[in-house]
Amino acid sequence: MTDYAEEQRNELEAIESIYPDSFTVLSEDPTSFTITVTSDAGENGETVETTLKFTYVDKYPDEPPLWEIYSQENLEESDAEDILTLLQQQAEENLGMVMIFTLVTAVQEKLNTIVDVMKNRQEEEKRRKEREAQEAEKVAFQGTVVTIENFLAWKAKFELEMAELRRKRQKEEEQAGKPKLTGKQLFERDHNLDTSDIQFLEDAGNNVEVDESLFQDIEDLDLDEDDPDFDPIEMGSDED
């Protein structure tokens, strides 16, 4: 006849010596205890952790113990469900033998796998962001590729905008009630324009400067004195 109590006491002593810092007895009748399992650290120091609670039943190990996830850290809900499924599978495979160490070891390996998956997810997310940044830079450098579809869409929008602009301009001219004046009409309308040059000379007074280099001296002119129309007195009076 199997002495279940003896097997349970012996396993409990062994478990306490294997996990001295993470093993805690919660009760003795029924025997209940927790073991905290932590994954190995990932590349960036990230870890996942779970505390498993086990409770012996009367006929353990011929019957599986009770278990639950007592607490967890950095575990997603789907990962926690996977751990519970793993415990069920391992317990069925080890019926008739003390199995706590086997169950905890299986969970430890599962946590390490979860950390590896987290690392792969982070690397994939990093690569995805890099690809998006490269695509954005490429689009910014190349600009928008012109296709028949987007050109026709732009053309239709442009024509609508121009039609609206012409409509507004026509409306403004109608509201003004006067047609646009030509240069001649502006001149005839403002009589000050025909005296503007005279007014400028009067305002300048004696300050109007003449560039004498633009004119030739009379001695430099090639004049024919035999010309009956030549009058040196008249030319001299011009110099005065």
Side-chain angles (χ1 to χ4, degrees):
M1 183 177 179
T2 303
D3 188 347
Y4 296 114
E6 180 68 19
E7 289 196 37
Q8 293 172 14
R9 282 194 300 270
N10 292 338
E11 183 184 43
L12 206 60
E13 291 177 0
I15 291 298
E16 186 176 6
S17 65
I18 296 172
Y19 306 105
D21 298 327
S22 59
F23 172 81
T24 303
V25 175
L26 299 178
S27 65
E28 295 182 355
D29 189 17
T31 301
S32 180
F33 55 91
T34 61
I35 300 175
T36 298
V37 188
T38 305
S39 70
D40 296 334
E43 183 176 331
N44 298 318
E46 64 274 14
T47 61
V48 291
E49 180 179 287
T50 182
T51 297
L52 303 173
K53 177 183 177 182
F54 296 100
T55 302
Y56 285 149
V57 297
D58 292 340
K59 293 184 179 182
Y60 172 82
D62 287 340
E63 293 180 2
L66 304 177
W67 59 75
E68 64 179 88
I69 294 179
Y70 198 68
S71 65
Q72 63 188 47
E73 182 177 340
N74 297 333
L75 274 181
E76 295 184 1
E77 184 176 351
S78 59
D79 294 329
E81 293 176 355
D82 290 343
I83 289 174
L84 293 175
T85 300
L86 175 64
L87 288 170
Q88 181 65 40
Q89 294 172 347
Q90 291 294 317
E92 292 175 355
E93 293 175 3
N94 290 276
L95 282 178
M97 299 178 290
V98 291
M99 64 181 75
I100 299 301
F101 176 76
T102 300
L103 298 180
V104 172
T105 300
V107 172
Q108 174 80 55
E109 294 175 354
K110 179 64 177 179
L111 295 183
N112 290 339
T113 300
I114 291 172
V115 170
D116 291 339
V117 172
M118 290 173 58
K119 175 184 175 182
N120 293 335
R121 289 173 181 169
Q122 291 171 354
E123 291 178 349
E124 178 59 30
E125 179 67 13
K126 180 180 178 180
R127 287 193 293 268
R128 184 186 65 81
K129 290 182 178 180
E130 289 176 350
R131 288 195 300 269
E132 290 179 352
Q134 291 174 354
E135 289 296 326
E137 183 178 357
K138 183 178 179 181
V139 170
F141 178 76
Q142 292 182 342
T144 302
V145 178
V146 178
T147 64
I148 295 177
E149 291 77 9
N150 61 28
F151 172 77
L152 292 177
W154 170 84
K155 183 174 181 293
K157 181 180 178 182
F158 175 76
E159 290 176 346
L160 287 175
E161 291 175 351
M162 293 304 296
E164 179 65 17
L165 182 62
R166 287 192 295 270
R167 186 189 66 80
K168 289 182 178 180
R169 184 178 299 171
Q170 182 178 359
K171 184 176 180 181
E172 291 174 356
E173 292 176 353
E174 291 175 352
Q175 289 176 347
K178 295 181 180 180
K180 184 177 180 181
L181 299 178
T182 64
K184 180 179 179 181
Q185 290 172 327
L186 286 172
F187 184 83
E188 291 175 347
R189 181 180 178 183
D190 189 353
H191 296 289
N192 291 328
L193 294 176
D194 58 0
T195 60
S196 60
D197 290 343
I198 297 174
Q199 184 65 41
F200 169 73
L201 293 174
E202 290 178 351
D203 292 341
N206 295 326
N207 294 326
V208 177
E209 298 180 357
V210 177
D211 189 354
E212 296 181 358
S213 65
L214 298 175
F215 303 92
Q216 288 181 296
D217 292 335
I218 189 169
E219 291 83 358
D220 297 333
L221 294 177
D222 184 14
L223 299 176
D224 186 1
E225 295 182 358
D226 296 331
D227 188 342
D229 295 329
F230 173 72
D231 188 350
I233 296 176
E234 181 179 350
M235 295 297 294
S237 64
D238 289 342
E239 292 180 356
D240 295 336

